[in-house]
Amino acid sequence: MSSDEASDRVLVLNPVSGSGEHVDDVVELAGGHGFEIRKTEEAGDATRFARDAAPDANLIAAAGGDGTLNAVVNGIAAANALETTTVAVVPAGTGNNFAANIDIRGLEHAFTVIEDGRRRTIDIATANDRVFVNSCVGGITAEASSETTTESKAELGVLAYVKNTFETVGEFDSLPLRVETAAGPNGETAQAWEGEALFVLIGNCRRFTGARTAQANVEDGLLEVTIVEDAATTNLVSGAALEGLFGRDSTHIVRRRTPSLAIESREDSVEYSLDGEMLKTETLHLETKSETLTIPVGDGYQPDPDEGELWPLETSAGQ
């Protein structure tokens, strides 16, 4: 392909995601499926590659973890091309939580789904105009995020960052927050919560329960909000204790479902992790953008995880 010839299939490859052992396999598979491959080398590359490719490509694949997917979607959004670009997920990170939620079970399976899988149009979310796909977590420190081990992420998913925050900072300073949620379409009323929080967790495609892969309905136009109130942090350091806390109803857990919310810190700026990418701010405005992102999904994906049946097939293959 000549340098001035645009490709309609582009794969953005993060060669250092996860163990880094995926590169050769991804290159071989992507080449066999007609993708132009662009490898990232430094911060910002994935977003830039996706932004530059989006005007001409009708299919952009993100090969890496949730952070790589986040960067690719933000790049496509910057090009105002979300309506015309399908985004495929090739799981090559450590946790691959989003991929698991949409039933993408590995590298080869990802390319099978690209060719033959259903397409669904799912919600995305914005946080101060930055897009996230899976989750936004407040209270995790950048240091804890960068130092969380591969093994811990593989075992606990995003809860690994929570656990590592406790371990990294020692005595944890709670967050004095005010959280206002908007009224929802299913009888949810607008509500405000104010107090001392350990963490505030917002899920677009995930719920914050004890399960590592806890899918939320990502086609309902709502965010899953979980506030962990200030509690005895010394009891939460072990992974088992964290899973127990999130997996049961607790006097220290506040849950809301809302199309939008605002979080305001009454003291210092708070660090938020958007699919693993850090953002520090005093005030955060979040909202869903319904049915915005078209993705290929595995056969086991159910839009509503609480339903007992698969939804009807929609479009497949073709792109």
Side-chain angles (χ1 to χ4, degrees):
M1 181 179 296
S2 64
S3 59
D4 60 350
E5 182 182 352
S7 174
D8 62 355
R9 283 189 165 200
V10 172
L11 180 136
V12 178
L13 170 60
N14 183 345
V16 297
S17 288
S19 65
E21 297 176 354
H22 59 280
V23 174
D24 290 345
D25 289 338
V26 170
V27 168
E28 182 177 354
L29 286 163
H33 287 268
F35 282 89
E36 176 187 329
I37 301 166
R38 303 184 184 178
K39 290 184 184 180
T40 63
E41 295 181 358
E42 57 188 30
D45 277 356
T47 299
R48 179 169 56 84
F49 291 162
R51 184 188 66 231
D52 292 348
D56 299 301
N58 58 33
L59 175 61
I60 298 179
D66 288 348
T68 304
L69 173 64
N70 178 284
V72 165
V73 174
N74 271 279
I76 297 169
N80 295 314
L82 285 171
E83 291 186 0
T84 57
T85 309
T86 295
V87 177
V89 180
V90 178
T94 303
N96 301 311
N97 185 271
F98 180 79
N101 286 340
I102 60 169
D103 191 42
I104 304 297
R105 298 188 295 272
L107 299 181
E108 291 189 11
H109 184 241
F111 286 94
T112 298
V113 169
I114 286 170
E115 302 301 350
D116 302 324
R118 295 175 290 156
R119 265 52 170 168
R120 301 293 302 191
T121 304
I122 66 169
D123 307 337
I124 60 171
T126 59
N128 287 6
D129 298 323
R130 276 177 53 178
V131 173
F132 67 94
V133 180
N134 208 41
S135 63
C136 168
V137 179
I140 285 174
T141 65
E143 181 182 5
S145 178
S146 66
E147 292 183 1
T148 299
T149 65
T150 296
E151 293 76 17
S152 182
K153 282 192 289 185
E155 178 186 358
L156 292 173
V158 75
L159 297 188
Y161 297 109
V162 175
K163 178 175 182 287
N164 206 41
T165 294
F166 285 125
E167 295 173 340
T168 301
V169 301
E171 185 175 337
F172 189 77
D173 293 328
S174 58
L175 309 171
L177 299 178
R178 179 177 175 82
V179 181
E180 295 188 17
T181 56
N186 301 316
E188 298 93 346
T189 58
Q191 297 184 66
W193 177 93
E194 189 165 353
E196 303 286 324
L198 295 178
F199 298 94
V200 57
L201 310 103
I202 300 99
N204 183 48
C205 190
R206 74 155 295 154
R207 294 170 175 163
F208 291 94
T209 68
R212 177 176 157 268
T213 53
Q215 180 206 335
N217 187 333
V218 74
E219 299 183 24
D220 63 357
L222 298 173
L223 297 169
E224 305 269 349
V225 181
T226 300
I227 302 167
V228 183
E229 296 180 330
D230 196 356
T233 60
T234 54
N235 295 329
L236 300 179
V237 172
S238 74
L242 281 171
E243 293 191 50
L245 173 70
F246 286 96
R248 66 174 186 272
D249 290 333
S250 167
T251 56
H252 299 299
I253 298 286
V254 177
R255 298 189 189 275
R256 302 275 190 268
R257 299 175 77 242
T258 180
S260 64
L261 68 151
I263 306 171
E264 182 178 357
S265 172
R266 292 183 280 115
E267 288 184 8
D268 300 327
S269 296
V270 175
E271 287 186 295
Y272 295 91
S273 171
L274 311 177
D275 297 334
E277 303 300 307
M278 303 305 294
L279 169 66
K280 190 170 184 177
T281 182
E282 290 183 8
T283 304
L284 195 68
H285 295 278
L286 305 104
E287 63 179 303
T288 51
K289 295 185 180 296
S290 298
E291 299 181 346
T292 298
L293 182 66
T294 300
I295 58 170
V297 299
D299 289 342
Y301 167 73
Q302 296 178 197
D304 185 348
D306 298 324
E307 291 287 336
E309 300 179 3
L310 292 176
W311 283 28
L313 293 181
E314 290 196 350
T315 58
S316 64
Q319 297 211 55

